[in-house]
Amino acid sequence: MYKKVKIEYFAVLREQAKINSEELETSSADARELLSELTSKYNFSLNESTLKVAINEEYCEFTTKLNEGDRVVFIPPVAGG
Amino acid sequence: MFKISQTKIDPIDLGKRFDDPRAGAVVTFEGKVRNHNEGKNVTSLEYQAYGAMAVKEGQKILDQALNQFDILDAYCVHAEGHLEIGDVAIWIIVTSKHRAEAYKANQFIIDTVKATVPIWKKEHYVDEEPVWVACHQCAESGHHEHSL
């Protein structure tokens, strides 16, 4: 089933996607499938072993199901401070 | 309160807001932009934040510090945008009755912010291409510090 999600990109993923954000109609059921879909599209250099994922501003598992209207961000290694 | 600031952080000005007659101890931490990292000459840093989530995650850390330690107040501000050498990247203040809890809480806050708050740092060098610093591992192992 297709759903529309909003994806924002940061740091190295933003440079590789060449966009800050997008709305996407996707059939991906969970965050893992979505990452795989986006990696095919943008050839991301980072994968699930180094990324974390946040849905609606909360860290979650890659197995978290996606719902209509979710805001999804794949989080490259953070480096604040 | 946890804030992301697009303007220069001024610790002296900020510090004035935390005068509290109950506080016998005030511990502040200033993380500043350094001119070198891992053998490279750093000319400036660029911080990018996922603002909406950074504020939420940062606030969780401050709330946890307020629950876990016997302190009166905790505040943290992190800079976003392009910073020059010597600029303040992060500033944390903790007030408490006695110093031990304020020191512990302040250390807890900086360690946890570095590990979990979605903020990224791009280092610019004298004669190399800039790179996004990858820091999941160093936050976990506690070594390999960058701007601090």
Side-chain angles (χ1 to χ4, degrees), chain B residues 2-143:
Chain B
F2 185 95
K3 277 188 67 176
I4 298 289
S5 175
Q6 281 85 24
T7 56
K8 233 180 168 89
I9 295 171
D10 179 351
I12 292 172
D13 187 47
L14 281 169
K16 292 175 191 158
R17 299 188 204 168
F18 294 90
D19 276 342
D20 183 342
R22 298 169 301 164
V26 179
V27 171
T28 60
F29 173 77
E30 238 174 88
K32 300 180 74 168
V33 179
R34 250 204 337 253
N35 70 355
H36 64 281
N37 187 38
E38 307 208 319
K40 293 179 184 173
N41 294 315
V42 176
T43 53
S44 64
L45 287 184
E46 188 182 331
Y47 281 99
Q48 199 177 83
Y50 175 16
M53 184 175 168
V55 166
K56 271 194 194 179
E57 285 296 313
Q59 191 58 49
K60 280 185 207 167
I61 296 166
L62 297 179
D63 290 344
Q64 201 183 333
L66 286 161
N67 281 327
Q68 200 171 317
F69 303 98
D70 185 14
I71 58 177
L72 295 165
D73 200 3
Y75 172 96
C76 177
V77 56
H78 198 295
E80 186 179 23
H82 213 112
L83 271 66
E84 304 297 328
I85 305 302
D87 282 350
V88 178
I90 185 169
W91 186 77
I92 300 167
I93 186 166
V94 177
T95 59
S96 63
K97 282 179 282 183
H98 305 291
R99 69 185 180 283
E101 291 294 295
Y103 270 116
K104 276 191 278 185
N106 202 306
Q107 172 109 46
F108 164 80
I109 294 165
I110 182 62
D111 288 348
T112 317
V113 165
K114 285 174 76 80
T116 66
V117 177
I119 296 174
W120 299 273
K121 170 166 59 186
K122 192 178 200 179
E123 284 185 341
H124 293 254
Y125 308 109
V126 174
D127 44 17
E128 285 179 62
E129 286 297 299
V131 295
W132 289 102
V133 174
C135 215
H136 275 345
Q137 319 83 304
C138 59
E140 280 157 20
S141 63
H143 62 77

